[in-house]
Amino acid sequence: MKSRIADVTRGASKVFTAALLAGTILSTVNAQPAMAQSTVVVAVSPLGADSNLYWTTTGAFILPSLQTLVGQDPETGKYDNSQLAESWEHNEDFSSWTFRLHPEAKFNDDWGPVTSADVVHSFNLHIGDDAKLSGISQFREISVGAVDDHTVQFDLPAPDPNFLFSHAGRGSLAIYSKAQFDAEGIEGYEAAPAGSGPFRYEGRETGQSITFSTIADHWTGASPEFDEIQFRWVSEPSTRMAMLSAGEAHAVTLPRDLQDDAAEAGETVLASSEGAMQTTMLFTGQFMNPEAEENRDARSYAWADVRVREAMNRALDRDAILEALYGEGVRTLPVYTMDPRFPGYSEEIAARFDEAYGYDPERAMELLEEAGYPDNFENPKIPLVVTSLAGNPEFAQMAELVQAYFDIAGIQTEMREQDWATGNTAIRGFSADFVTPMRNAPVRPSALGVQIFFTSQASPHLDVGDPELNKLGADLVSETDPETRDAMLDQMFTRIFDSYAHLPMATVPASVVVNSDLVEGWTFPGTTSSGLSHFELIDLK
């Protein structure tokens, strides 16, 4: 069954891709002139918000000319001081964080050194009423002050051991020049914001492109091999493919089905050095709560029985599903939100995955029989959500493949086609009664992710209702000892794993397709919201 599903899926994908290549792409190849090698062109999907005011966007793309406080290593994804903060420290309970700026950091275009006054000014802009950044709400309760010209202190309303995530992968605070604002106002930022990064903003054509020049002898030591980088917003993946083939783009983002075709045509698919996203199928409702309120009660559904949940997991041939969805480069995920980069990762759980979750349809059928499925359940049909989300076109196909394997094991399903907003509204309104695809991107610190997706602490609408998990989650919020926190996270992930509280799927890297004649390589960790970063490391041939 594994090969049949994978082959059918891939075959349908290639027929569709071939049709695109025969039409849109070939008619576009000769439409535009090739660019000079000194200008690197990256073609991506259009942004949700095309603005130089970062806080008014959703954070999917931070201007390469701007910097955050905390950087991340391009190979490991671990926090480093490659951005504006030279070092940082926190008090004993993680409720106060102090950042010391690089003394040599300076803004482009002679706007002076980067100081703590610029950080405080930028922070106040980012928490304004027009802010749309993901995760910015928590900033509004933070007090920020300048200790001296190069030291800034953040005082939090509650302990937050994961605070660096806001200043790195999440990118909730980009630093703008206060001197420029004092001289030119917000109009100066809208026209040409002065950043401190290794690229200088040159201009944009709204809805079409944005261009940056590289800075010689930059204070960070970064030295790109090219003079200019231009990002072009191109809606159609087929057009981005054509640009790559014609040498009109050095790098493009493509859906995974077109990546295979690009590779077959001789182009190179580059993956991030670390996982950029985790995917799963989540059960909704408080199915593990023996005293759930009526509007949260999912106990009438079959997945309230742990034997059914185990059967659902054992019914899935994840190798075949993930190959069909993502191709090469993905890893099976033992527990959603658990990640080896963060505290709480359990090698023991990972080693037990095949034994506890491996493809075994016969054992799945035995478990269903033990549970008296379907006769013993008021709602034996499993509602599977068929939906799509920007950046995750495979979500609909994920549900369909899961349904195919469930059918083999004798698990009844009901396919529900709904847009992402409708499903999200049901979840947040505590009325969701389905199994839905979900993503964790960028990959959050494990302590934050497990609270959001499984407990009542961070996102109560996703609470699975397990008293043990919620007790551990509540204790984790106030615990500040690193070793104790690590042990508590291990207990939480073990509980999720042993109770089959979800259908974990994959750890997925970010990917970009590069023209093999123009680009040698590019190392990036996949830790940003868009997955792409470290543009200065694009290695040209």
Side-chain angles (χ1 to χ4, degrees):
M1 186 63 193
K2 167 182 173 179
S3 60
R4 184 175 71 84
I5 289 182
D7 290 344
V8 168
T9 303
R10 189 178 298 106
S13 172
K14 292 196 178 293
V15 170
F16 179 66
T17 301
L20 285 175
L21 288 170
T24 309
I25 292 182
L26 295 181
S27 65
T28 310
V29 167
N30 298 318
Q32 298 187 32
M35 72 294 180
Q37 180 76 348
S38 60
T39 299
V40 167
V41 172
V42 181
V44 299
S45 298
L47 302 177
D50 200 354
S51 172
N52 289 340
L53 309 181
Y54 179 64
W55 63 90
T56 67
T57 75
T58 58
F61 179 78
I62 184 170
L63 303 184
S65 58
L66 298 174
Q67 290 184 295
T68 56
L69 287 178
V70 180
Q72 291 184 274
D73 184 273
E75 294 184 352
T76 67
K78 293 184 177 181
Y79 302 131
D80 66 18
N81 65 353
S82 60
Q83 295 286 298
L84 288 171
E86 179 181 51
S87 62
W88 50 82
E89 60 186 19
H90 55 79
N91 64 354
E92 186 174 352
D93 72 351
F94 296 93
S95 64
S96 182
W97 289 75
T98 302
F99 296 83
R100 293 182 178 84
L101 304 177
H102 285 284
E104 66 273 25
K106 62 181 180 180
F107 287 105
N108 305 326
D109 300 320
D110 299 322
W111 283 110
V114 179
T115 70
S116 54
D118 299 299
V119 177
V120 174
H121 164 73
S122 299
F123 177 86
N124 290 329
L125 289 175
H126 282 59
I127 63 173
D129 293 339
D130 56 346
K132 298 178 182 178
L133 288 171
S134 178
I136 202 65
S137 58
Q138 67 166 341
F139 271 35
R140 294 193 170 103
E141 299 180 8
I142 294 175
S143 174
V144 180
V147 177
D148 57 42
D149 283 350
H150 288 91
T151 308
V152 61
Q153 182 172 311
F154 292 74
D155 292 317
L156 285 56
D160 186 0
N162 304 307
F163 190 56
L164 294 183
F165 178 66
S166 298
H167 299 283
R170 173 61 72 189
S172 295
L173 178 61
I175 308 305
Y176 286 74
S177 165
K178 183 177 184 298
Q180 183 185 17
F181 183 86
D182 292 342
E184 300 178 351
I186 202 72
E187 295 78 11
Y189 291 167
E190 291 175 330
S196 54
F199 297 95
R200 175 184 288 107
Y201 176 85
E202 294 294 343
R204 72 166 68 237
E205 292 185 47
T206 302
Q208 297 185 50
S209 66
I210 185 169
T211 303
F212 302 86
S213 61
T214 59
I215 297 174
D217 302 319
H218 189 259
W219 68 267
T220 62
S223 182
E225 297 181 0
F226 43 89
D227 298 327
E228 191 175 76
I229 186 167
Q230 183 180 93
F231 299 87
R232 295 184 186 172
W233 321 132
V234 182
S235 299
E236 291 297 328
S238 55
T239 305
R240 297 198 296 272
M241 176 85 161
M243 292 175 64
L244 191 74
S245 301
E248 296 164 11
H250 290 74
V252 302
T253 56
L254 290 176
R256 293 177 182 91
D257 54 352
L258 281 181
Q259 288 179 18
D260 292 341
D261 294 282
E264 289 179 6
E267 311 299 4
T268 303
V269 180
L270 299 178
S272 59
S273 55
E274 293 294 331
M277 174 180 65
Q278 297 174 333
T279 59
T280 187
M281 294 285 285
L282 282 185
F283 303 114
T284 58
Q286 291 192 337
F287 55 92
M288 293 178 68
N289 186 353
E291 299 178 353
E293 298 178 8
E294 185 175 349
N295 68 332
R296 304 295 305 281
D297 191 353
R299 287 171 295 175
S300 66
Y301 283 89
W303 66 79
D305 190 308
V306 66
R307 294 168 295 185
V308 176
R309 296 199 299 272
E310 181 179 352
M312 292 168 72
N313 274 284
R314 291 188 178 276
L316 301 179
D317 185 344
R318 285 178 173 81
D319 289 342
I321 291 174
L322 299 186
E323 182 182 353
L325 293 178
Y326 302 110
E328 298 180 358
V330 302
R331 302 191 300 269
T332 301
L333 179 65
V335 182
Y336 186 59
T337 72
M338 188 176 77
D339 186 275
R341 286 169 288 187
F342 299 111
Y345 184 79
S346 171
E347 293 283 359
E348 189 268 338
I349 289 177
R352 286 200 294 130
F353 185 78
D354 285 342
E355 177 186 352
Y357 282 71
Y359 181 45
D360 190 345
E362 291 184 1
R363 178 56 182 154
M365 294 177 190
E366 291 173 359
L367 287 162
L368 294 173
E369 185 175 356
E370 291 173 15
Y373 180 90
D375 296 338
N376 288 354
F377 296 91
E378 180 182 339
N379 291 303
K381 287 189 176 181
I382 309 296
L384 297 175
V385 170
V386 181
T387 189
S388 61
L389 178 64
N392 295 89
E394 72 280 353
F395 272 3
Q397 191 179 4
M398 180 185 293
E400 291 166 355
L401 291 173
V402 166
Q403 188 274 335
Y405 280 107
F406 281 179
D407 185 60
I408 293 171
I411 300 172
Q412 300 176 18
T413 56
E414 171 195 339
M415 306 302 282
R416 295 187 183 176
E417 294 189 12
Q418 62 186 31
D419 58 53
W420 186 262
T422 298
N424 200 36
T425 298
I427 291 172
R428 292 184 177 277
F430 304 109
S431 60
D433 61 346
F434 43 68
V435 181
T436 183
M438 191 65 68
R439 73 178 180 189
N440 178 23
V443 178
R444 298 166 172 86
S446 296
L448 177 60
V450 72
Q451 296 278 35
I452 291 173
F453 291 103
F454 294 100
T455 79
S456 60
Q457 298 301 313
S459 298
H461 48 274
L462 288 172
D463 174 24
V464 300
D466 180 43
E468 181 178 331
L469 276 177
N470 280 327
K471 174 63 167 60
L472 286 166
D475 292 343
L476 184 66
V477 171
S478 57
E479 181 57 59
T480 58
D481 178 69
E483 290 187 5
T484 304
R485 287 177 58 83
D486 190 76
M488 294 171 68
L489 284 167
D490 183 274
Q491 292 180 63
M492 295 179 77
F493 288 129
T494 300
R495 176 66 175 169
I496 293 166
F497 183 88
D498 289 344
S499 60
Y500 295 90
H502 66 324
L503 303 172
M505 285 295 176
T507 296
V508 186
S511 58
V512 63
V513 186
V514 300
N515 184 299
S516 298
D517 294 329
L518 302 177
V519 177
E520 182 70 32
W522 178 7
T523 303
F524 56 98
T527 51
T528 66
S529 294
S530 67
L532 303 182
S533 63
H534 295 73
F535 300 104
E536 68 277 8
L537 297 183
I538 295 176
D539 182 14
L540 300 180
K541 288 190 173 180

